[in-house]
Amino acid sequence: MTTQPEITECDLRTRSEEIMDAVQGGQSFTVTRDGHRIGELIPLRRRRRFVPRGEFAAMSRSAPDISVDAFRVDQDATVEQEPHDPYGW
């Protein structure tokens, strides 16, 4: 397991731009004060907004086949089939 580099509180103040650029690039740091660990700087995980076409195609090729008829039967078995009037008396 790779340990993240330690930086002092003073380093964080004097080299903040450099350190924040590294965090933005994926680097994590442990912050120390008087030789004691007091916190961590870690990059936020960002969700992908889309999956590239090639990656989607590759995933789809290995996906199991789905029977549309079996899917509809499952839906019919679990979904209420009669319309429901929430204001009906």
Side-chain angles (χ1 to χ4, degrees):
M1 181 173 158
T2 305
T3 60
Q4 54 198 35
E6 290 187 359
I7 56 173
T8 66
E9 180 182 24
C10 182
D11 286 337
L12 182 57
R13 280 196 307 270
T14 59
R15 299 173 36 220
S16 65
E17 183 177 3
E18 173 190 346
I19 292 168
M20 291 299 145
D21 287 346
V23 171
Q24 186 175 13
Q27 178 69 51
S28 298
F29 296 93
T30 299
V31 181
T32 63
R33 178 190 287 161
D34 299 325
H36 301 283
R37 294 175 172 186
I38 61 168
E40 292 181 311
L41 283 175
I42 58 172
L44 294 175
R45 288 192 281 182
R46 295 188 178 159
R47 296 180 114 187
R48 290 194 303 182
R49 292 181 180 251
F50 67 94
V51 176
R53 182 184 308 220
E55 188 176 333
F56 179 78
M59 288 187 301
S60 298
R61 283 192 290 275
S62 62
D65 290 334
I66 296 175
S67 164
V68 175
D69 294 331
F71 178 72
R72 287 187 178 139
V73 168
D74 286 345
Q75 279 186 319
D76 289 343
T78 58
V79 175
E80 184 178 334
Q81 297 298 313
E82 296 298 320
H84 175 70
D85 180 3
Y87 303 107
W89 297 94

